[in-house]
Amino acid sequence: MTASTASSRRETTTAERVTVNLSARSSAALETAAGLSGDTKTDTINRAIQVYAYLEEIASRGGEIFVREPDEQSPVRLRFF
């Protein structure tokens, strides 16, 4: 994450309440992510939005994002839909 993104995570701000309707797939992914991290669903959603914004910033500037699975040797470029 960028320095500004990391510092904004530490800032105390007024929370904004939002209502979202999750698909079954997104709801299951939220359960999985929250379970893996040990965070609340709210914290997991907040972090997901911040990570998504960071990745979109990189992609919008022409950068590329790569991931490497534990059992693979070469990273693969991540594509957004």
Side-chain angles (χ1 to χ4, degrees):
M1 289 188 196
T2 64
S4 63
T5 304
S7 66
S8 67
R9 287 180 67 191
R10 292 188 293 263
E11 293 176 7
T12 304
T13 60
T14 304
E16 177 181 352
R17 182 173 291 269
V18 198
T19 301
V20 279
N21 297 313
L22 300 177
S23 66
R25 185 176 172 187
S26 292
S27 181
L30 176 57
E31 288 286 340
T32 299
L36 289 169
S37 68
D39 290 332
T40 64
K41 288 181 181 181
T42 297
D43 288 341
T44 302
I45 291 167
N46 280 314
R47 182 169 294 154
I49 292 168
Q50 293 169 22
V51 169
Y52 181 71
Y54 171 68
L55 297 176
E56 283 291 349
E57 285 177 20
I58 292 171
S60 72
R61 294 192 320 258
E64 296 178 325
I65 299 105
F66 291 84
V67 295
R68 185 182 59 79
E69 293 285 342
D71 57 342
E72 298 291 326
Q73 293 207 347
S74 299
V76 176
R77 185 167 61 111
L78 184 64
R79 295 176 187 246
F80 291 97
F81 299 98

